[in-house]
Amino acid sequence: MLRSVIFDMDGTLFQTDTILEIALEETFAYLRSQNKWDSETPLEKYREIMGVPLPKVWETLLPHYSRMEREETDTYFLERLTENINSGNGKLYPNVKEVFRYLKENDCNIYIASNGLINYLDAIVNYFDLNHWITETFSIEQIDSLNKSNLVRYIVKKYNIYHGAVVGDRLSDFQAAKDNGLISIGCNFDFAKEMELAHADIVIDNLIELKSIIPKL
């Protein structure tokens, strides 16, 4: 059985869409109140790029804004996300805690590698009391390149991981696994794309499947 599993957060463990629309609407309502936005909230456009680091999100959604304006928007958005998590509006995907419990009971270390920022990840981990099982949570903020492969490499080196898996829903997760000699497990969940899942070594439709897959790897 593998002794290390690295999980993505958004779209893999956390149902981001449960707070995404609310927080995005609140953010663009704020921009409208500041006379900095005069059309609908670009929710669908955000869904298309879901999973990329937030600086790249705002470059896409607000291409004509200054860097300072994007950073201010990013700060406000993160505040709204965190507030919605702490208010109980977010949800984990089914069976997250059961799978975590199973892995820990079988001496498997659990890590988080996410494009989310530190405060956001901490809010999820703390609200859902996941620290019982997670060895450490890593944010893309810790890597200058904002590259998921480099983030996973950082984890691999820190914990001397030789045999492990990366569980995620986007191409960056599967590429990070490949670049670091790990097995990639694709989650066919809300934000997953068929063309990207084709690059995963294994594809699952529910996290509970990991209980039968991990022991065989």
Side-chain angles (χ1 to χ4, degrees):
M1 179 168 172
L2 294 180
R3 294 301 175 211
S4 300
V5 180
I6 302 171
F7 287 88
D8 175 43
M9 179 64 83
D10 290 312
T12 299
L13 300 175
F14 184 66
Q15 296 186 51
T16 316
D17 57 343
T18 57
I19 61 168
L20 172 63
E21 184 171 351
I22 299 171
L24 206 63
E25 288 288 4
E26 290 172 341
T27 299
F28 278 85
Y30 171 75
L31 290 177
R32 292 186 195 97
S33 72
Q34 301 295 307
N35 295 316
K36 294 181 178 180
W37 190 261
D38 59 4
S39 57
E40 295 182 356
T41 301
L43 181 61
E44 290 305 316
K45 193 170 186 179
Y46 184 85
R47 286 181 178 274
E48 291 175 6
I49 59 173
M50 181 68 193
V52 303
L54 278 174
K56 296 186 180 298
V57 167
W58 301 116
E59 287 176 11
T60 303
L61 299 186
L62 306 174
H64 304 300
Y65 283 53
S66 68
R67 179 175 179 179
M68 181 178 294
E69 288 174 320
R70 290 175 187 159
E71 290 177 350
E72 291 173 351
T73 303
D74 184 47
T75 298
Y76 187 86
F77 179 62
L78 284 169
E79 289 174 354
R80 300 319 307 153
L81 284 174
T82 302
E83 178 60 31
N84 276 285
I85 292 167
N86 292 332
S87 296
N89 293 326
K91 292 182 181 180
L92 297 176
Y93 278 99
N95 305 308
V96 168
K97 292 188 176 182
E98 180 177 347
V99 169
F100 276 15
R101 188 178 300 112
Y102 169 80
L103 292 176
K104 289 302 290 183
E105 287 175 351
N106 287 275
D107 300 318
C108 183
N109 293 313
I110 299 169
Y111 308 94
I112 304 297
S114 172
N115 282 335
L117 302 188
I118 294 172
N119 290 343
Y120 168 70
L121 297 174
D122 285 347
I124 296 172
V125 170
N126 292 332
Y127 183 84
F128 293 102
D129 202 21
L130 300 179
N131 275 321
H132 291 297
W133 302 288
I134 297 171
T135 300
E136 189 171 353
T137 298
F138 295 85
S139 164
I140 202 70
E141 276 189 284
Q142 296 168 249
I143 301 296
D144 291 337
S145 66
L146 299 181
N147 181 281
K148 194 67 169 282
S149 291
N150 291 341
L151 180 60
V152 170
R153 184 172 297 114
Y154 179 75
I155 300 171
V156 166
K157 288 184 177 180
K158 179 173 182 178
Y159 286 96
N160 296 313
I161 298 172
Y162 297 99
H163 304 289
V166 175
V167 181
D169 66 319
R170 300 306 301 269
L171 183 59
S172 60
D173 300 307
F174 315 143
Q175 189 63 49
K178 181 179 180 180
D179 290 344
N180 290 282
L182 305 178
I183 297 167
S184 58
I185 301 176
C187 296
N188 188 20
F189 300 166
D190 297 310
F191 301 106
K193 297 182 179 180
E194 186 175 349
M195 291 182 63
E196 295 185 2
L197 287 171
H199 293 270
D201 296 315
I202 301 167
V203 176
I204 60 175
D205 296 310
N206 191 303
L207 288 170
I208 201 68
E209 296 174 52
L210 294 176
K211 290 179 67 174
S212 61
I213 292 172
I214 295 296
K216 299 175 182 176
L217 298 178

